[in-house]
Amino acid sequence: MRDRIEYKSDADIVKMRRAGLVVADIHAALREAAVAGKTTADMDRVALDVLQRHGAKSNFYGYYGYPGQICASVNEVIVHGIPGERVLQPGDIVSFDCGAVVDGWHGDACTTVVIPGGDEEVRARRERLSEITEQAMWTGIAAFARGKRIGDIGDAIDDFVEAVPEEDRPDIVLNFTGHGIGSTMHQPPEVLNFSVAERTARIKRGMVICIEPILAAGNQANTTLDDEWTAVTDDGSDACHWEHMVAMHSKGIWVLTAPDGGVAGLAPYGITPVPLGE
């Protein structure tokens, strides 16, 4: 499996940055458009408009028959929520997983929003879940920057979540993971969000991976619905998903789906990302 990792040149990574910035633009448009009363299908149309303006295509649409431009996962939906007639309610937590293909190179990232309004206590709890998940992602990215093996990412995320005070501590969803990405959307190596004893691939120059912790407020046990896509928590608890596409190039690390390249997210870790050709 490690032998099949697709290592990119610096020039390839610059091309992937273009796809990453399209995904970032989709996220920005969705954060603005996601308000109570809109449907997840409305959000899908927002994403399609951004893709078309950039002359890009969604790498989700048609993937093994997937029918949406994006995944819009609301509350108890963990991942792969198919856009449809579900109406966003005040206080809902929604994870928008989005992708783009530009000149044959793939971009993929997920952002989470909490819809304004609703019960203050519920909204605060969901905002806290999103904050923890996002911090877990940046912890994993920092581990990629400093680590020696891909497993260091899962170790760092696992340790971070375990250190969250018990009253707020979410459960790591075990059966969905990060992955390599490049000329196709899903590639080796698998990027786990938890610690394992097995020996994992060495972190090397030219790797581009998606780091994406997925956490459940209750128990991580889940079921995929009859549509064969939508995964939901068995106990009905909320879930949250954050993801960035990150490159290790000849001069350092670069978060390809963050508009600032990861400057703000990595600053607390004392890590400075290095852009190429910008």
Side-chain angles (χ1 to χ4, degrees):
M1 182 175 181
R2 291 193 293 270
D3 292 339
R4 294 188 286 111
I5 293 172
E6 179 185 80
Y7 296 97
K8 286 78 174 174
S9 68
D10 284 357
D12 294 335
I13 290 169
V14 169
K15 293 175 183 176
M16 292 189 70
R17 171 66 164 170
R18 297 172 192 155
L21 288 176
V22 174
V23 176
D25 281 355
I26 295 170
H27 284 174
L30 289 170
R31 284 192 290 267
E32 183 175 348
V35 295
K38 296 288 187 179
T39 66
T40 54
D42 292 331
M43 300 299 99
D44 204 55
R45 286 187 284 269
V46 168
L48 179 59
D49 180 65
V50 176
L51 286 162
Q52 290 176 336
R53 284 194 282 108
H54 283 282
K57 293 184 178 180
S58 169
N59 42 12
F60 291 16
Y61 182 73
Y63 185 74
Y64 290 99
Y66 185 76
Q69 304 292 325
I70 64 172
C71 299
S73 303
V74 184
N75 296 347
E76 78 286 352
V77 180
I78 297 172
V79 290
H80 306 155
I82 298 173
E85 297 311 306
R86 183 164 183 167
V87 178
L88 299 179
Q89 303 295 328
D92 279 351
I93 184 171
V94 192
S95 294
F96 292 115
D97 195 1
C98 309
V101 185
V102 178
D103 294 332
W105 292 100
H106 289 248
D108 181 15
C110 186
T111 190
T112 292
V113 300
V114 177
I115 305 301
D119 182 89
E120 289 185 11
E121 183 177 339
V122 172
R123 190 173 66 251
R125 186 172 67 244
R126 288 171 169 166
E127 287 172 346
R128 177 63 176 147
L129 175 62
S130 180
E131 176 189 4
I132 292 168
T133 310
E134 184 180 14
Q135 288 178 341
M137 176 191 66
W138 286 112
T139 299
I141 295 170
F144 182 51
R146 290 182 168 144
K148 296 187 180 301
R149 293 188 176 273
I150 290 295
D152 295 341
I153 298 167
D155 290 344
I157 292 172
D158 204 329
D159 288 347
F160 171 81
V161 173
E162 282 300 310
V164 173
E166 187 173 357
E167 63 271 18
D168 288 337
R169 187 184 306 145
D171 206 10
I172 298 172
V173 178
L174 302 179
N175 56 324
F176 297 102
T177 70
H179 52 90
I181 187 170
S183 60
T184 56
M185 182 164 58
H186 293 119
Q187 301 179 341
E190 184 178 48
V191 183
L192 300 178
N193 296 311
F194 50 90
S195 294
V196 291
E198 68 189 58
R199 194 173 180 86
T200 56
R202 287 190 178 276
I203 294 171
K204 294 182 180 180
R205 186 177 71 187
M207 276 187 170
V208 182
I209 63 173
C210 289
I211 296 173
E212 48 180 317
I214 303 169
L215 306 180
N219 190 285
Q220 64 88 29
N222 59 87
T223 299
T224 299
L225 301 183
D226 290 342
D227 62 21
E228 299 183 347
W229 286 104
T230 308
V232 300
T233 56
D234 289 349
D235 61 7
S237 64
D238 296 326
C240 185
H241 179 192
W242 277 87
E243 173 186 12
H244 267 312
M245 179 174 74
V246 190
M248 184 67 70
H249 57 75
S250 64
K251 298 179 181 178
I253 195 170
W254 195 14
V255 184
L256 302 181
T257 43
D260 69 352
V263 171
L266 289 171
Y269 303 89
I271 296 169
T272 303
V274 183
L276 292 169
E278 285 198 323

